[in-house]
Amino acid sequence: QVHLVQSGAEVKKPGASVKVSCKASGYTFTNYAIHWVRQAPGQRLEWVGWINGDNGNTKYSQKFQGRVTFTTDTSANIAYMELSSLRSEDTAVYYCARADFWSGYYRWFDPWGQGTPVTVS
Amino acid sequence: QSALTQPPSVSGSPGQSVTISCTGTSSDVYASNRVSWYQQPPGTAPKLIIFEVSFRPSGVPARFSGSKSGNTASLTISGLQADDEADYYCCLYTISSTYVFGSGTKVTVL
């Protein structure tokens, strides 16, 4: 069974960085990408970007460009998201999700990790 | 970039059908079949229920169906059940090779 298990809740001060992990199991890690999505309290889902599990290629939402970095450890099947220069507006639950590449795009996000709450205060 | 608008809430009695719309502000939705839907029960992670406008992943009940007309994609839940209570989000792959989520719709089972 496919599972994504994320690291635990974080509390950070403004200006600091946070690194969230997402450990995959139940599938071949390098055959899929990992997308990151966040959800501020009471708000809609917001796409952050993706990393290809095979070659490490990335794409970031323009909103986060320059502040976010995705990496992977393919030996351990783990994806990481690091967000720097944190501000209060970054307080959110951060999710990772597996994505399938088909016909030129990632057509679905499934499954999702349980989410990692990040509080900036 | 397209913004996707959904009604804030819809409701129905058990056994009824409800439809959630997802309307784009540009031609993105009109030109693309790259729309997916996610169900998010309270306090939990989202779950994929529809991809490419109308395809259901294995394990998702046939009560969930998707469609598109013009610039609006729709999700219909037939035979509404109590555990369908959740927030529902549409998601579009845009011409900029990015993803945008809809504003979300809360489904209430009366």
Side-chain angles (χ1 to χ4, degrees):
Chain A
Q1 197 168 5
V2 177
H3 282 298
L4 298 177
V5 178
Q6 299 183 223
S7 48
E10 302 267 9
V11 179
K12 296 291 182 181
K13 293 194 181 301
S17 297
V18 67
K19 191 169 186 176
V20 178
S21 69
C22 171
K23 180 166 176 58
S25 62
Y27 71 97
T28 301
F29 185 79
T30 52
N31 284 353
Y32 296 83
I34 293 289
H35 285 238
W36 292 89
V37 176
R38 77 177 187 180
Q39 187 172 37
Q43 301 301 309
R44 73 174 74 187
L45 300 168
E46 181 176 29
W47 180 75
V48 180
W50 56 256
I51 182 165
N52 185 302
D54 181 30
N55 57 25
N57 287 347
T58 56
K59 183 172 179 69
Y60 304 120
S61 165
Q62 195 168 3
K63 177 175 180 176
F64 301 98
Q65 195 85 33
R67 282 207 304 141
V68 70
T69 303
F70 300 150
T71 56
T72 59
D73 178 350
T74 54
S75 67
N77 294 343
I78 300 175
Y80 298 94
M81 181 202 70
E82 184 167 21
L83 186 63
S84 62
S85 302
L86 290 169
R87 34 210 188 226
S88 59
E89 309 89 89
D90 294 318
T91 293
V93 177
Y94 289 77
Y95 294 101
C96 62
R98 186 185 67 157
D100 169 65
F101 193 79
W102 187 266
S103 296
Y105 82 113
Y106 293 105
R107 57 180 178 166
W108 44 249
F109 307 145
D110 180 61
W112 295 54
Q114 84 277 17
T116 296
V118 175
T119 302
V120 182
S121 176
Chain B
Q1 179 172 312
S2 184
L4 299 179
T5 301
Q6 301 178 228
S9 63
V10 299
S11 61
S13 300
Q16 288 187 330
S17 294
V18 295
T19 296
I20 302 167
S21 59
C22 170
T23 302
T25 57
S26 71
S27 61
D28 273 358
V29 175
Y30 178 85
S32 172
N33 283 332
R34 299 173 175 183
V35 177
S36 52
W37 289 89
Y38 298 86
Q39 175 194 59
Q40 187 179 31
T44 69
K47 174 191 170 186
L48 173 71
I49 52 173
I50 294 287
F51 66 96
E52 288 187 328
V53 174
S54 60
F55 290 88
R56 269 179 297 107
S58 60
V60 174
R63 303 185 295 103
F64 293 90
S65 63
S67 62
K68 191 187 75 164
S69 177
N71 212 35
T72 297
S74 298
L75 172 71
T76 297
I77 309 172
S78 307
L80 202 59
Q81 298 180 0
D83 60 3
D84 296 333
E85 279 209 344
D87 292 329
Y88 291 80
Y89 292 92
C90 58
C91 179
L92 173 71
Y93 177 72
T94 76
I95 57 173
S96 305
S97 302
T98 60
Y99 293 80
V100 61
F101 287 92
S103 48
T105 299
K106 181 178 179 62
V107 170
T108 301
V109 181
L110 301 171

